[in-house]
Amino acid sequence: MEPMDSGVDMMKRIILVAMCLFLLPLTAFGQPTTQKGKPNRPLPPFHKPATRPVDEQQEFDRALVFLEKFSPNRFKAYQSLDEERRGIFRERIVAFFRANQWINRDDNDELRKVRERLLKAEDEVFGVRWDILAAGGPRRASDEDRARLRSAVGEMVKIQLAERSLRLERMKKYVKGEEEQIAAIEANPDQYIDERYRDEMEGRGLGLFDHPRRQGGPGGPGGGPGGPGGQKGNEKAPGAK
C-alpha cells in the first residue's frame, strides 16, 4: 500500500504546484514588464483585513461561488485538496474575488465583458496545464496536449491585450479631460475661486473627506467631472431646509 499512498501524495503536490502558478490575484497581469520579462516594481503584499470571523466566512463563501462560476477548473482543483491544503489558498481565493467581483455588475460595460472572457481564458490555460501535470508533467506531454496549451495561451494573451488596450483608451480620455480642466482653471482662476466660494456658502462645499462635484462645472481633487469619487453637491448647510 505504501507506493499507492506515495502516488496520492505526489498528485496532491502536483495540484498544489499548479494552483500556486495560476491562482494569483489578477492585478499581476497589468504590471508593466522590462525587456527581460521581470516586473519593474514588486506587487504590494496582500494584507488580510481585520474583520469579524462571521464576516470572513460569509465573504469566503461568496468567493467560492464566484470561483466556481468563473474559474471552474481551479475550483475543482481546490475542492480536490484536503482541509489543511485548502487553508493555504483561502486568502488567495478571497483576493481573487475582491479583485474581480465588479464583473458581477448587471450592465453592458465592455470592460466587464472583456474581463469575464479573460477569467475564462485563464481558467482554460489552468485546466490544460493541470491535465499535463496529472499525466506526468511537461516532459511526458503529448503533441496534442502541447498544442492545446499553446492555443489556450494564445487566446488568453489576445484577450489580455484587448483588456489593456481598452483600459489605456479610458485612461487617455480621463487624462485629456483633466488637462482641459486644469488649463481652464489656470486661464481664469478667479472664476473658479468664485464658483468654489459659492459652493461653500450654499452648502455644496467640502464633504467629510473629499470635494464636491459641481453639475456642469469643475470639481475639487477627486471630485471633478469624470474623476473618481467626490460628492455630488447635494449636501445642505446646517439648519437649511
Side-chain angles (χ1 to χ4, degrees):
M1 294 297 294
E2 185 175 349
M4 184 177 295
D5 291 340
S6 299
V8 172
D9 289 340
M10 178 61 71
M11 190 61 209
K12 288 181 177 179
R13 285 197 292 271
I14 289 173
I15 294 172
L16 191 61
V17 170
M19 293 186 71
C20 284
L21 288 173
F22 291 97
L23 193 54
L24 296 171
L26 289 183
T27 51
F29 289 108
Q31 291 294 313
T33 57
T34 64
Q35 291 183 349
K36 295 182 179 180
K38 297 180 180 179
N40 287 328
R41 58 182 182 275
L43 290 172
F46 172 70
H47 297 290
K48 186 177 181 180
T51 56
R52 295 180 300 174
V54 63
D55 294 333
E56 290 180 357
Q57 185 58 47
Q58 289 175 355
E59 183 178 29
F60 181 67
D61 291 342
R62 294 196 302 272
L64 279 183
V65 171
F66 183 89
L67 185 68
E68 183 178 16
K69 178 180 179 181
F70 293 103
S71 295
N73 289 322
R74 284 182 279 195
F75 177 78
K76 290 177 183 177
Y78 171 79
Q79 290 293 92
S80 70
L81 300 175
D82 57 36
E83 288 298 325
E84 182 179 356
R85 286 181 171 84
R86 287 185 188 183
I88 297 173
F89 295 100
R90 187 182 181 95
E91 290 187 7
R92 289 185 179 272
I93 290 172
V94 171
F96 176 83
F97 171 64
R98 289 175 179 170
N100 295 286
Q101 63 177 323
W102 60 273
I103 71 173
N104 279 322
R105 293 185 316 210
D106 186 17
D107 57 34
N108 291 319
D109 181 64
E110 186 178 357
L111 187 60
R112 181 192 67 79
K113 294 178 180 178
V114 172
R115 173 49 66 95
E116 183 174 343
R117 288 171 51 212
L118 179 56
L119 292 184
K120 293 184 181 300
E122 290 170 350
D123 193 60
E124 181 64 23
V125 170
F126 174 85
V128 177
R129 174 68 173 170
W130 188 19
D131 289 343
I132 291 174
L133 288 172
R139 292 184 178 181
R140 296 185 179 181
S142 65
D143 290 341
E144 181 182 355
D145 285 338
R146 293 174 187 271
R148 285 175 58 211
L149 182 59
R150 184 172 181 81
S151 176
V153 169
E155 181 65 17
M156 179 184 69
V157 170
K158 182 171 68 174
I159 300 173
Q160 284 177 341
L161 290 176
E163 183 188 50
R164 292 175 69 175
S165 297
L166 184 57
R167 289 187 183 277
L168 182 59
E169 285 303 313
R170 294 189 178 189
M171 285 177 169
K172 288 178 179 178
K173 290 180 181 179
Y174 176 73
V175 170
K176 182 179 180 181
E178 288 292 289
E179 289 175 342
E180 290 174 351
Q181 288 186 39
I182 290 173
I185 292 171
E186 289 177 341
N188 196 348
D190 287 339
Q191 179 182 346
Y192 178 70
I193 292 171
D194 289 341
E195 290 175 349
R196 289 305 313 277
Y197 170 74
R198 289 196 302 271
D199 284 338
E200 298 297 333
M201 292 298 294
E202 297 171 8
R204 295 190 304 271
L206 292 177
L208 186 59
F209 293 111
D210 48 17
H211 291 201
R213 182 192 300 240
R214 298 191 85 253
Q215 190 111 25
Q231 301 288 95
K232 292 185 178 181
N234 58 357
E235 292 183 73
K236 291 184 178 181
K241 296 182 180 180

